[in-house]
Amino acid sequence: MEFTHQPVLLWECIDGLNIRPEGVYVDGTLGRGGHSEEIAKGLTTGRLIAIDQDEQAIREAGARLAPYGERVTLVQGNFRDLDRILDAQEIPAVDGMLFDLGVSSPQLDDAERGFSYMNDAPLDMRMDTNAPLTARDVVNGWTEAELKRILWDYGEERFAGRIAGQIARVRADRPIETTLELVEVIKSAMPAVALREKQHPAKRSFQAIRIAVNDELGAVETLMKTAPDRLNPGGRLCIISFHSLEDRIVKNGIAARENGCTCPREAPVCTCGFVRTLRSVTRKPITAGEEELSRNPRARSAKLRIAERV
């Protein structure tokens, strides 16, 4: 079987994890298994827990990782439930964790999943196809004010008000059912000058709706509260984000555990009770080089932050 999916910042992640052959690791966003396969290659007596909420990803990556046998345990779930997942595996702490917060290329390329604004499909956008909330529910059921909020907050869409108003007007006559129907509604709300921009006019709105459907930011906030506490001393946390909202949560989450002392600078000793639990391995996020970008343009917005448990 040939695997063509391009894992983002692969070798930077593997270097960042500092894999020990006998260590225990988590890939919390398995996808199609590119990162997991390289982690598994570095293990001898160690173990990898590979997590994904997408049932199709579990099936396809499972075939790819089958040669590594009992070194790899596949778990269908959401990384926001990391504590529960590790407890179920009777693993108190691990030596490294990797989380790639982007939508995988196979999900984007599968038109029927409804993530793409380039192909017609039912409005879905669920990473977990068993989850109850779909993009159709959001587009047709959320208030105009809520739509404006998510388009502005999650998509940084400057025409959020106009787009939300147009969605409300159209759905008053008929439900918006498909991705290309939504694209046309979005385009009809935007001024002509915006439609001539290089970026697709629906990109920001689709991002915002996807984030809302999957509660992606809430999951990342939960991750930053729980993951560091499940690392052994010296264990590494590697997180790839793809837009500024996610990266800000990751950056602030690391900073809160690295520099969270609230005592005055002139205080001779800390009295606020802060205990440092993370150390930034990279002060600035790692981004893709030109060689990777030539192979995988989707890596252009990727930012990798690495921290170590102290």
Side-chain angles (χ1 to χ4, degrees):
M1 183 180 295
E2 182 180 357
F3 296 93
T4 59
H5 172 55
Q6 300 280 336
V8 173
L9 295 169
L10 173 60
W11 300 115
E12 292 85 349
C13 289
I14 297 303
D15 288 343
L17 285 171
N18 195 26
I19 296 169
R20 296 187 297 107
E22 73 282 5
V24 180
Y25 295 86
V26 168
D27 182 349
T29 44
L30 170 63
R32 292 314 185 265
H35 291 110
S36 278
E37 183 173 34
E38 291 302 326
I39 295 172
K41 285 179 181 178
L43 302 178
T44 52
T45 58
R47 187 177 177 192
L48 170 64
I49 310 300
I51 305 165
D52 205 292
Q53 58 186 320
D54 186 342
E55 184 178 358
Q56 183 178 354
I58 292 289
R59 288 198 306 270
E60 295 187 12
R64 180 175 192 165
L65 298 171
Y68 303 97
E70 294 183 356
R71 273 181 274 174
V72 179
T73 300
L74 302 177
V75 178
Q76 185 176 357
N78 191 308
F79 61 68
R80 73 191 310 157
D81 299 319
L82 180 67
D83 277 340
R84 179 184 58 77
I85 291 169
L86 291 180
D87 288 346
Q89 298 294 325
E90 299 183 339
I91 298 174
V94 302
D95 300 297
M97 301 185 193
L98 168 64
F99 301 91
D100 177 346
L101 304 180
V103 181
S104 71
S105 295
Q107 287 176 327
L108 289 172
D109 295 338
D110 183 353
E112 292 305 308
R113 300 294 297 271
F115 288 105
S116 173
Y117 41 77
M118 302 299 292
N119 301 290
D120 204 21
L123 274 174
D124 194 322
M125 301 193 196
R126 291 174 296 174
M127 293 184 180
D128 177 357
T129 56
N130 295 312
L133 184 68
T134 68
R136 184 188 186 280
D137 299 327
V138 171
V139 169
N140 292 289
W142 287 20
T143 67
E144 181 179 339
E146 274 294 285
L147 289 175
K148 179 181 178 181
R149 181 187 67 81
I150 66 170
L151 293 174
W152 179 263
D153 289 349
Y154 300 166
E156 299 175 311
E157 172 55 71
R158 64 188 188 278
F159 302 111
R162 296 174 63 152
I163 294 170
Q166 184 69 346
I167 289 173
R169 284 187 288 274
V170 170
R171 73 186 187 188
D173 294 329
R174 56 175 177 79
I176 301 169
E177 301 282 0
T178 72
T179 52
L180 291 190
E181 284 179 33
L182 178 58
V183 168
E184 290 306 310
V185 173
I186 293 167
K187 290 168 67 175
S188 69
M190 301 176 77
V193 65
L195 298 178
R196 293 193 293 270
E197 293 177 356
K198 183 177 181 180
Q199 180 171 271
H200 192 285
K203 180 178 180 179
R204 290 181 292 267
S205 295
F206 268 58
Q207 171 184 292
I209 294 167
R210 188 202 77 226
I211 289 172
V213 167
N214 297 288
D215 188 25
E216 294 176 29
L217 298 185
V220 178
E221 288 173 349
T222 299
L223 172 68
M224 294 310 298
K225 293 175 182 176
T226 59
D229 294 327
R230 300 305 291 253
L231 285 170
N232 286 316
R236 295 285 183 87
L237 177 64
C238 299
I239 304 181
I240 306 171
S241 60
F242 286 82
H243 57 77
S244 59
L245 298 173
E246 290 174 339
D247 183 58
R248 190 177 306 129
I249 294 171
V250 174
K251 178 182 177 180
N252 291 343
I254 293 172
R257 288 174 171 268
E258 183 173 25
N259 304 304
C261 177
T262 58
C263 296
R265 288 184 178 273
E266 62 273 15
V269 294
C270 174
T271 58
C272 71
F274 171 72
V275 177
R276 188 184 191 212
T277 53
L278 285 181
R279 175 188 69 85
S280 293
V281 175
T282 54
R283 288 296 170 185
K284 293 185 178 180
I286 298 170
T287 57
E290 290 303 317
E291 193 276 332
E292 177 170 1
L293 291 175
S294 68
R295 290 184 287 104
N296 185 13
R298 286 175 176 167
R300 186 166 302 277
S301 58
K303 293 181 178 180
L304 169 64
R305 293 187 184 271
I306 305 171
E308 182 176 276
R309 179 68 190 263
V310 296

